[in-house]
Amino acid sequence: MARFWHVFTVRNLLVVSLAINASFILRLGYETIDIKREQLLTGKRAQGEALPTQRAHLPVSTTSSPSSTPFPGSDRDRVINLDHGDPTMYERFWQQVGEKATIVIPGWQSMSYFSDIGNLCWFLEPEFARQVLRLHKIVGNAVTEDRHIVVGTGSTQLFQAVLYALAPPDAEEPVSVVSAAPYYSSYPAITESLKSGLYRWEGDALSFSKEGQFIELVTSPNNPDGYVRGSVLNKSGGVLVHDFAYYWPQYTPITYPADYDIMLFTVSKTTGHAGMRIGWALVKDREIAKRMVKYIELNSIGVSKDSQLRAAKVFEVVSDSCESSSNTTESLFEFAYHLMMERWQNLRAAVKHSGIFSLPEFSPGFCMFKGRLFEPQPAFAWLKCEEPIEDCERFLRSNKILTRSGRHFGVGLQYVRISLIDRDDNIDLFVERLSNIRKDNLCQHMGE
Amino acid sequence: MARFWHVFTVRNLLVVSLAINASFILRLGYETIDIKREQLLTGKRAQGEALPTQRAHLPVSTTSSPSSTPFPGSDRDRVINLDHGDPTMYERFWQQVGEKATIVIPGWQSMSYFSDIGNLCWFLEPEFARQVLRLHKIVGNAVTEDRHIVVGTGSTQLFQAVLYALAPPDAEEPVSVVSAAPYYSSYPAITESLKSGLYRWEGDALSFSKEGQFIELVTSPNNPDGYVRGSVLNKSGGVLVHDFAYYWPQYTPITYPADYDIMLFTVSKTTGHAGMRIGWALVKDREIAKRMVKYIELNSIGVSKDSQLRAAKVFEVVSDSCESSSNTTESLFEFAYHLMMERWQNLRAAVKHSGIFSLPEFSPGFCMFKGRLFEPQPAFAWLKCEEPIEDCERFLRSNKILTRSGRHFGVGLQYVRISLIDRDDNIDLFVERLSNIRKDNLCQHMGE
């Protein structure tokens, strides 16, 4: 913490002050978006990250009586959308960074389909590859030696590239795809979307007993519940795919450099740049990497060069700030670590105050990157509603908090996933609203 | 033509001269790439736009005897790769344009998944949408009223989004996908790649006789042969998808504003920015557009914002130059029109001189955009080798010209597709090499 507060010299305070002004102006914009969002949700619904279901309209009755609206001030009717993992909490960091992270692309640059014709992944920008290797080396979260880097339009496209690469093209039966529940809600949606004859979603790995080849998806830390995970299937015929989207030191201690055959990462959860749509895979086997490249060639003839160049630039800034001995530049990981810590503290306090919710408990681990022990503080809260609430998503929605129901993750309705990487005002309001829902006033919150 | 040469004032000559210098420096770089490319092709092979096959190694014998190498100078051993439609001929134009087309993106911009939450296509950048509408209005090649714009990671992703959107999810049989041969080589490769239960490639529309629902792909002007096309199937149960990648005034006369239900476009063939991976669809039906958006949500959670912003910028420059009354700014369409005209004139002369090749013949059409009559001058040459050459692709490959064989387009080996939108030096060398292959020296060119 001492190091964190060192940054506030007079000059920096000025910068922060200007950033706050900018932030206020920007928030005026956000408010407009939120109003629009609400209009949408009562009429059309917002669309976003792999939405598994059509969202039902908000019941008008929740705002009809003043006594049933315990949220004071102008925010009381605002719908808080924490369904998607939109990493907008990072905007403030990049505003503070300023010009250093700006990218300039002249009109004549990066026009060709090809980025690096000598590379197996011919659409991979060499500078992006360099910065990926550098960042992994600094953070120590993955072994990069003897690996092929495959860039994708987010790790979502890479996940599909992996399925294509691993599925035997001439097999009689589709290969089974499994993951231990609760699993990332997009896995089944994506795997089933095209009714592919190459692969088939078989659900929870823990109850999987089929014979034949399978792919096990291991997300660690897990989306939605934040636990560090390993493979659960101990039988032959399987290939493991490790999704390390959240294996970064703002969310979880970096206890070892991951060293698996196929590892997926994404810029969106590393630096917050979801709009870039850039992910990367570290792949040991050359033939698998080649087939992944073939998928991306067929699916989109490569990956945006502009976003790869921009990702390289923001990675460079992140790595520079980690390596810098001067305390005038705070690192992204410090910024996000402290923000996540604060949010988890506030959330746990609200949950305790409320008495009708519960959260996962984590053991601390020693982070090699930070050189200290800390507890995981995941990007999502995996919230459980206690009795008498049966449908947690529905209950929170009636309180104008949009979350993703546990049923999309292969478990029950008593769970929801809540994004904790949204903008400050949304998270603050959410925590405040949650802490006001208490056992003794539950009936009015249930609209009864 | 008069308007074209007006631009060369003294000031402009200086700019052109500087651009040429820059071009020379850049070409030094290209030479290195070409050397690398050749090394690859004799060892590993180059990968690119939806390569349908593993390319065989170049026979070493073609360069072993000086008498069998009729190409003078240092370029005689150079492999010319015109297999892909890499639109690098446009680089020179954008170098001339200079700073006007430069994009600057600060680190804190476009971080969210969302671009326009009120839009059906929630990941569509509003500025890109505006510039798309403006460009269509100026060029007059498509009706945009009462259409939804869906942005994609190239028109390749949009093509797959269309298949997903049109295939009934609960049908017993996959919907048939057809296109009149010669058809774009990527259509079968993409459609078949995942063995989808939703849709199935059924080949040449002209020989399609199955009952049931079908999707007919109409590419106009056609890739590979450049002809203007309409639907060939006149029966019920079908939906038409129009691929208008090449319906721009540098390639073909704009005879009417296209007015179909589903129309696909791509930045790569409009301005030459293939590396952006941006395409767009104009879609009449709201439900179809929504399902296309759902596919892109599942496939890549949206489309790179950085590339959308950059595409908006280059479209703005193109539209500005079209609208400008001053002749000091040459328009992209003028530049590319004259370059394509020159290339087709040279190619036709070389083919005539050679006596063993033939090319499609086109009728002139009145272009509403240019206000004059001209013949199509397509992005690809659809070359036919006459007897005794049986395998045109193989024959040209033995002369170190890489093209795409007719068999990938649903027709015979006597045809090849050749990109005419590559860099000047490649096209010049290709035309020179072609004109040196003559009936009377054919044996030495066939390695006999």
Side-chain angles (χ1 to χ4, degrees):
Chain A
M1 280 298 276
R3 191 179 155 205
F4 178 60
W5 291 110
H6 269 174
V7 303
F8 291 99
T9 61
V10 176
R11 189 171 151 211
N12 281 290
L13 277 171
L14 179 65
V15 173
V16 171
S17 157
L18 288 170
I20 289 167
N21 288 344
S23 156
F24 276 128
I25 293 164
L26 279 165
R27 285 206 189 168
L28 285 175
Y30 301 156
E31 298 296 333
T32 318
I33 290 170
D34 280 319
I35 291 163
K36 218 171 170 185
R37 208 180 257 184
E38 188 174 11
Q39 287 168 344
L40 265 174
L41 286 160
T42 50
K44 286 184 271 175
R45 110 172 162 84
Q47 286 180 292
E49 179 201 355
L51 290 177
T53 51
Q54 189 77 15
R55 187 168 305 292
H57 296 171
L58 281 172
V60 180
S61 62
T62 55
T63 56
S64 60
S65 155
S67 67
S68 68
T69 51
F71 324 123
S74 63
D75 278 334
R76 110 192 142 170
D77 292 332
R78 185 145 74 83
V79 174
I80 310 167
N81 190 341
L82 299 174
D83 176 357
H84 322 294
D86 203 16
T88 41
M89 78 168 196
Y90 289 94
E91 285 169 344
R92 187 151 56 87
F93 174 81
W94 292 105
Q95 282 158 12
Q96 280 172 222
V97 165
E99 274 194 6
K100 262 189 306 190
T102 297
I103 181 119
V104 177
I105 311 178
W108 49 264
Q109 200 178 300
S110 312
M111 295 189 65
S112 168
Y113 285 106
F114 299 93
S115 290
D116 185 5
I117 205 166
N119 197 313
L120 178 145
C121 187
W122 52 265
F123 47 80
L124 171 63
E125 282 292 314
E127 181 57 19
F128 176 66
R130 259 194 299 276
Q131 294 297 339
V132 160
L133 294 177
R134 184 181 169 212
L135 190 61
H136 278 306
K137 200 174 174 184
I138 289 171
V139 174
N141 60 342
V143 173
T144 57
E145 284 76 26
D146 301 321
R147 254 70 174 190
H148 301 278
I149 300 176
V150 181
V151 66
T153 310
S155 60
T156 300
Q157 190 187 39
L158 288 166
F159 165 60
Q160 290 156 90
V162 165
L163 296 187
Y164 175 83
L166 296 178
D170 46 6
E172 280 180 23
E173 278 288 298
V175 65
S176 299
V177 183
V178 295
S179 189
Y183 42 70
Y184 176 33
S185 53
S186 288
Y187 288 155
I190 293 169
T191 310
E192 290 174 339
S193 62
L194 298 182
K195 293 188 177 174
S196 173
L198 297 178
Y199 43 78
R200 186 190 292 151
W201 177 251
E202 293 284 356
D204 190 355
L206 292 161
S207 57
F208 178 68
S209 58
K210 264 198 173 175
E211 288 306 303
Q213 295 188 304
F214 66 90
I215 297 167
E216 186 187 348
L217 310 168
V218 181
T219 310
S220 183
N222 191 38
N223 172 2
D225 65 14
Y227 286 112
V228 170
R229 280 188 162 193
S231 158
V232 299
L233 280 175
N234 187 17
K235 60 180 204 170
S236 63
V239 182
L240 300 182
V241 178
H242 281 82
D243 184 341
F244 283 129
Y246 303 93
Y247 193 42
W248 294 98
Q250 63 270 51
Y251 306 121
T252 199
I254 304 301
T255 54
Y256 72 109
D259 186 9
Y260 298 97
D261 289 351
I262 303 168
M263 303 190 277
L264 306 183
F265 294 88
T266 169
V267 172
S268 64
K269 301 307 185 292
T270 310
T271 69
H273 290 90
M276 284 184 189
R277 312 309 313 117
I278 296 290
W280 69 101
L282 302 177
V283 184
K284 222 177 210 168
D285 184 85
R286 183 178 169 83
E287 290 310 308
I288 292 173
K290 269 173 79 172
R291 278 186 61 78
M292 288 176 70
V293 166
K294 184 73 197 172
Y295 174 82
I296 294 172
E297 185 181 310
L298 286 165
N299 191 226
S300 58
I301 324 184
V303 175
S304 162
K305 295 198 187 341
D306 312 311
S307 288
Q308 287 189 66
L309 294 173
R310 193 167 170 230
K313 169 59 82 181
V314 299
F315 277 13
E316 187 187 12
V317 170
V318 171
S319 291
D320 283 352
S321 74
C322 288
E323 284 185 337
S324 166
S325 58
S326 147
N327 277 335
T328 52
T329 312
E330 194 191 1
S331 96
L332 173 97
F333 299 123
E334 281 296 307
F335 165 88
Y337 171 83
H338 288 283
L339 201 52
M340 293 309 298
M341 188 170 63
E342 188 188 309
R343 289 177 174 198
W344 271 94
Q345 279 169 353
N346 295 343
L347 177 62
R348 287 197 189 277
V351 161
K352 199 176 172 186
H353 191 245
S354 166
I356 44 165
F357 303 112
S358 66
L359 285 168
E361 295 294 333
F362 303 106
S363 305
F366 186 80
C367 180
M368 319 257 283
F369 173 73
K370 294 184 73 73
R372 56 185 277 193
L373 207 71
F374 68 89
E375 277 176 23
Q377 39 194 41
F380 296 105
W382 184 234
L383 192 82
K384 190 181 175 192
C385 284
E386 304 297 344
E387 287 185 352
I389 303 166
E390 286 176 4
D391 184 336
C392 194
E393 187 274 331
R394 195 173 162 215
F395 171 75
L396 290 173
R397 182 155 41 89
S398 73
N399 287 280
K400 300 192 179 176
I401 301 166
L402 305 183
T403 63
R404 194 170 296 182
S405 170
R407 68 191 172 90
H408 303 301
F409 302 88
V411 296
L413 294 177
Q414 68 271 42
Y415 288 94
V416 291
R417 190 195 76 169
I418 300 168
S419 169
L420 290 184
I421 51 177
D422 215 283
R423 294 178 184 113
D424 292 332
D425 56 347
N426 275 342
I427 299 294
D428 293 348
L429 188 60
F430 155 66
V431 170
E432 182 196 329
R433 210 172 280 183
L434 208 66
S435 72
N436 281 326
I437 303 170
R438 285 196 298 275
K439 245 186 178 156
D440 51 12
N441 66 0
L442 196 59
C443 290
Q444 77 184 58
H445 286 282
M446 294 180 87
E448 284 166 18
Chain B
M1 278 297 276
R3 190 180 155 203
F4 178 61
W5 291 110
H6 268 174
V7 301
F8 291 99
T9 61
V10 175
R11 193 172 148 210
N12 281 292
L13 277 171
L14 178 65
V15 173
V16 171
S17 157
L18 288 170
I20 289 168
N21 288 343
S23 156
F24 276 128
I25 294 165
L26 280 165
R27 286 208 186 166
L28 285 175
Y30 300 155
E31 298 296 333
T32 319
I33 291 169
D34 281 321
I35 292 163
K36 219 169 167 186
R37 207 179 259 187
E38 188 171 14
Q39 286 167 345
L40 265 176
L41 287 162
T42 51
K44 287 185 270 176
R45 108 167 163 88
Q47 287 180 289
E49 179 203 354
L51 290 176
T53 51
Q54 189 76 16
R55 184 165 310 290
H57 296 170
L58 280 171
V60 181
S61 64
T62 55
T63 56
S64 60
S65 155
S67 69
S68 69
T69 52
F71 323 124
S74 63
D75 278 334
R76 105 189 147 173
D77 292 333
R78 186 147 72 82
V79 174
I80 309 165
N81 191 340
L82 300 174
D83 177 356
H84 321 294
D86 204 15
T88 42
M89 79 168 196
Y90 290 93
E91 285 169 343
R92 188 152 54 87
F93 174 80
W94 292 105
Q95 282 158 14
Q96 281 171 222
V97 164
E99 275 192 6
K100 259 187 307 187
T102 299
I103 179 120
V104 177
I105 311 178
W108 49 265
Q109 199 178 300
S110 313
M111 295 189 64
S112 168
Y113 286 106
F114 299 93
S115 290
D116 186 4
I117 207 169
N119 196 314
L120 177 145
C121 186
W122 51 266
F123 47 80
L124 171 65
E125 283 291 316
E127 181 57 20
F128 176 66
R130 257 192 299 275
Q131 294 297 339
V132 159
L133 295 177
R134 183 180 170 211
L135 190 61
H136 278 306
K137 197 172 176 187
I138 288 171
V139 174
N141 61 342
V143 173
T144 57
E145 283 75 26
D146 300 321
R147 255 71 174 189
H148 301 278
I149 299 178
V150 181
V151 66
T153 310
S155 59
T156 300
Q157 190 186 39
L158 288 165
F159 165 59
Q160 290 156 91
V162 165
L163 296 186
Y164 175 84
L166 295 179
D170 47 4
E172 282 180 22
E173 279 287 298
V175 65
S176 299
V177 182
V178 295
S179 188
Y183 41 70
Y184 176 33
S185 52
S186 288
Y187 288 155
I190 294 169
T191 310
E192 289 174 340
S193 62
L194 297 181
K195 292 187 178 177
S196 172
L198 296 179
Y199 42 77
R200 186 190 290 150
W201 177 251
E202 293 285 355
D204 190 355
L206 292 162
S207 57
F208 178 70
S209 58
K210 265 196 171 177
E211 287 306 303
Q213 293 189 303
F214 67 90
I215 297 168
E216 185 187 349
L217 310 168
V218 181
T219 310
S220 183
N222 191 37
N223 171 2
D225 65 15
Y227 286 111
V228 170
R229 279 189 163 193
S231 159
V232 300
L233 281 176
N234 188 17
K235 60 180 201 169
S236 63
V239 182
L240 300 183
V241 178
H242 283 81
D243 184 341
F244 283 127
Y246 304 93
Y247 193 44
W248 295 99
Q250 64 269 53
Y251 306 121
T252 200
I254 304 302
T255 53
Y256 71 110
D259 186 9
Y260 298 98
D261 287 352
I262 304 168
M263 303 190 277
L264 306 183
F265 294 88
T266 170
V267 172
S268 63
K269 303 307 186 291
T270 310
T271 69
H273 291 89
M276 285 183 189
R277 314 305 316 118
I278 296 289
W280 68 100
L282 302 177
V283 183
K284 222 176 211 169
D285 184 86
R286 183 178 171 84
E287 290 309 310
I288 292 173
K290 268 173 82 171
R291 279 188 61 80
M292 289 177 69
V293 166
K294 185 72 197 172
Y295 173 83
I296 295 172
E297 187 181 310
L298 286 165
N299 190 226
S300 58
I301 323 183
V303 174
S304 162
K305 294 200 188 336
D306 311 311
S307 287
Q308 287 188 65
L309 293 174
R310 192 165 172 233
K313 170 58 82 178
V314 299
F315 277 14
E316 187 187 9
V317 170
V318 170
S319 291
D320 284 352
S321 73
C322 288
E323 283 185 339
S324 166
S325 58
S326 146
N327 279 332
T328 52
T329 312
E330 193 190 2
S331 97
L332 172 98
F333 299 123
E334 282 295 307
F335 166 88
Y337 170 83
H338 288 283
L339 201 52
M340 293 309 298
M341 188 170 64
E342 188 188 309
R343 288 176 175 198
W344 271 94
Q345 278 169 354
N346 294 343
L347 176 63
R348 287 198 188 275
V351 161
K352 197 174 174 188
H353 190 243
S354 165
I356 46 166
F357 303 112
S358 65
L359 286 168
E361 296 293 334
F362 302 106
S363 306
F366 186 80
C367 180
M368 319 255 284
F369 172 73
K370 294 184 75 69
R372 54 186 277 194
L373 207 71
F374 68 89
E375 278 177 23
Q377 37 193 44
F380 297 106
W382 184 235
L383 192 81
K384 189 181 177 192
C385 285
E386 304 296 342
E387 287 186 353
I389 303 165
E390 284 176 3
D391 185 337
C392 193
E393 188 274 330
R394 196 172 161 215
F395 170 74
L396 291 173
R397 181 155 41 88
S398 72
N399 287 282
K400 300 191 177 178
I401 300 165
L402 305 182
T403 62
R404 192 169 296 181
S405 169
R407 69 192 171 90
H408 302 301
F409 302 88
V411 296
L413 294 177
Q414 68 272 41
Y415 287 94
V416 291
R417 191 195 75 170
I418 301 167
S419 168
L420 291 184
I421 52 177
D422 215 283
R423 294 181 183 111
D424 292 333
D425 56 348
N426 276 343
I427 299 294
D428 293 348
L429 188 60
F430 155 66
V431 170
E432 182 195 329
R433 210 174 279 182
L434 208 67
S435 73
N436 280 326
I437 303 170
R438 284 196 298 275
K439 243 187 181 153
D440 50 14
N441 67 0
L442 196 58
C443 289
Q444 77 185 59
H445 284 283
M446 293 180 87
E448 287 165 16

